[in-house]
Amino acid sequence: MPPRSLEIGPAGKAAARAIVRTRTVRGYSQRQLAARVTALGWPMTATALSRIERLVRRCDINDFVAIAIALGVAPHALLASSSRDRGHAERAET
């Protein structure tokens, strides 16, 4: 069976942008944020976080929740900021 294509949809892309934006605002490097996620009991390497941010790796719900908590924001707040970004981008395209 051939491997499935890794396709990240609009919500996944927006979530990755929100993670990058919030991490940057908080002043964390990828290594620091990965360490914070790991300290919460969800092992994550800086490489895994980099791949999520670069859209090379899917961010599953467990990763997303752990990252949000490590950033000090509620997961739904990251999703809400992502949907606002999508709305701005869609309006800019029209």
Side-chain angles (χ1 to χ4, degrees), residues 18-66:
I19 290 168
V20 172
R21 184 178 54 254
T22 306
R23 178 180 61 76
T24 303
V25 166
R26 298 281 194 271
Y28 297 135
S29 68
Q30 289 175 335
R31 186 175 308 278
Q32 289 169 320
L33 180 55
R36 289 176 62 89
V37 171
T38 299
L40 291 171
W42 190 255
M44 178 169 286
T45 64
T47 300
L49 181 59
S50 172
R51 289 178 177 161
I52 289 169
E53 291 183 352
R54 290 181 295 124
L55 303 173
V56 175
R57 176 181 184 264
R58 284 178 173 258
C59 183
D60 74 14
I61 191 68
N62 297 309
D63 292 334
F64 185 76
V65 170

